[in-house]
Amino acid sequence: MKEPLKITFLGTGTSQGIPIIGSKHPVCLSTDTKDKRLRVSILVSWNDYNYVVDCGPDFRQQMLTHDVSKLDGILFTHEHSDHTAGLDDIRPFFFRQGDIPIYAQQRVSDSLRRRFDYIFTDANRYPGAPAVAVNVIEKGKSFFIGDMNVIPIEANHNRVQVFGFRFFDFTYLTDVKTIDDEEKEKIYGTKVLVVNALREEAHHSHFNLEEALKFIEDIRPEKAYLTHISHLLGFHEEVEKKLPAGVHLAYDNLVIEV
Ligand SMILES: [Zn+2]
Ligand SMILES: [Zn+2]
């Protein structure tokens, strides 16, 4: 029924992406395709279903690259622009399918409503504007996308509270700095874990590499992938060699089955 779950890494970069516009940093100048990272997002597919987690500014390019012709919904981790700025580009899906379901906590839904008021308005709709069907999700309450149950996992992104998602044996967390034990309990037993690792130096709102590896050691998944990566973490090939067994850097267009 639900298996195998196919996960496509649509983007694995931090908020500015890699390369950063105008940057002369060696990682930004790298010709290795694995050093080119769009803004962070994954496509979760099974049977005929396609859901994305987040919808950043590279959403259009990501949908084109992976030839996605039907989108069943968008799960939002939080409201930051690198996770939401592509929302207008749901238009082709909306024209073919009608209102696109979105799953977000109330605060995030309110923020989207302020920033994309023309998408959320009921009256005097601008011709050509897309529309969404809002599903408000809450801590401690699992929900369904298609025929799959999803467990939201609350984490802290400095002062912003974010949601990660557990889909059976697969858990996706990004923009995490700390996570409470009660929420961590919901992740144990996951076979594949994705978690953010920004760079080596500490950061106020993101796991650095050391914190991400410590977290993975605690959860003990069979496999772990790091995402939301800054150019400051270094060249993909070099960082990959330094990682413990079972832990990898994710890269754009990587596809895994869980
Ligand atoms: Zn982010
Ligand atoms: Zn963020």
Side-chain angles (χ1 to χ4, degrees), residues 4-252:
L5 203 59
K6 184 175 142 191
I7 308 296
T8 306
F9 289 86
L10 301 173
T12 58
T14 188
S15 56
Q16 294 185 81
I18 308 177
I20 289 177
I21 297 170
S23 169
K24 298 286 180 271
H25 188 282
V27 173
C28 292
L29 298 177
S30 168
T31 52
D32 183 350
T33 53
K34 290 181 181 170
D35 285 322
K36 304 204 180 300
R37 301 182 189 275
L38 297 178
R39 266 57 70 88
V40 78
S41 178
I42 53 166
L43 173 67
V44 181
S45 311
W46 74 104
N47 296 347
D48 256 349
Y49 294 113
N50 286 318
Y51 286 84
V52 288
V53 178
D54 293 327
C55 179
D58 299 315
F59 174 74
R60 174 178 174 274
Q61 193 54 52
Q62 292 163 337
M63 295 298 97
L64 289 172
T65 299
H66 295 279
D67 199 17
V68 181
S69 55
K70 173 180 157 268
L71 184 67
D72 296 290
I74 305 169
L75 286 68
F76 284 104
T77 58
H78 65 304
E79 65 271 48
H80 286 163
S81 284
D82 54 324
H83 300 254
T84 56
L87 190 58
D88 186 67
D89 283 320
I90 60 171
R91 293 173 71 217
F93 297 113
F94 166 74
F95 294 146
R96 286 194 293 266
Q97 303 168 213
D99 295 12
I100 302 299
I102 66 167
Y103 301 80
Q105 57 178 305
Q106 190 67 56
R107 186 198 75 232
V108 173
S109 161
D110 291 346
S111 167
L112 290 171
R113 192 179 290 271
R114 283 193 300 276
R115 291 155 63 204
F116 298 94
D117 59 337
Y118 63 98
I119 292 179
F120 288 77
T121 187
D122 291 324
N124 293 322
R125 293 192 62 77
Y126 189 81
V132 291
V134 180
N135 298 277
V136 175
I137 57 176
E138 289 174 48
K139 179 185 181 181
K141 285 191 183 166
S142 66
F143 58 98
F144 275 89
I145 55 170
D147 59 359
M148 181 163 57
N149 196 246
V150 182
I151 301 169
I153 316 249
E154 189 188 75
N156 311 301
H157 179 32
N158 194 358
R159 268 171 291 174
V160 176
Q161 169 263 326
V162 303
F163 271 149
F165 302 102
R166 179 166 183 172
F167 312 85
F168 283 104
D169 292 329
F170 174 72
T171 302
Y172 181 79
L173 290 163
T174 189
D175 294 58
V176 174
K177 176 63 179 180
T178 62
I179 180 161
D180 299 343
D181 287 345
E182 176 199 354
E183 292 300 291
K184 227 193 275 177
E185 285 296 327
K186 300 173 184 172
I187 311 171
Y188 289 116
T190 200
K191 285 188 185 153
V192 180
L193 173 68
V194 177
V195 68
N196 57 299
L198 189 73
R199 60 187 192 195
E200 288 199 7
E201 205 183 309
H203 188 271
H204 66 98
S205 64
H206 287 277
F207 277 161
N208 64 359
L209 181 60
E210 190 187 342
E211 289 164 325
L213 293 177
K214 204 182 278 179
F215 179 70
I216 293 165
E217 221 178 273
D218 181 0
I219 302 295
R220 297 199 166 280
E222 288 171 12
K223 259 190 182 167
Y225 293 89
L226 305 175
T227 193
H228 210 292
I229 292 163
S230 159
H231 64 292
L232 298 173
L233 187 60
F235 293 104
H236 180 96
E237 207 189 325
E238 288 178 12
V239 178
E240 178 72 23
K241 280 188 215 152
K242 295 192 290 193
L243 298 175
V247 182
H248 301 280
L249 284 192
Y251 54 89
D252 287 20

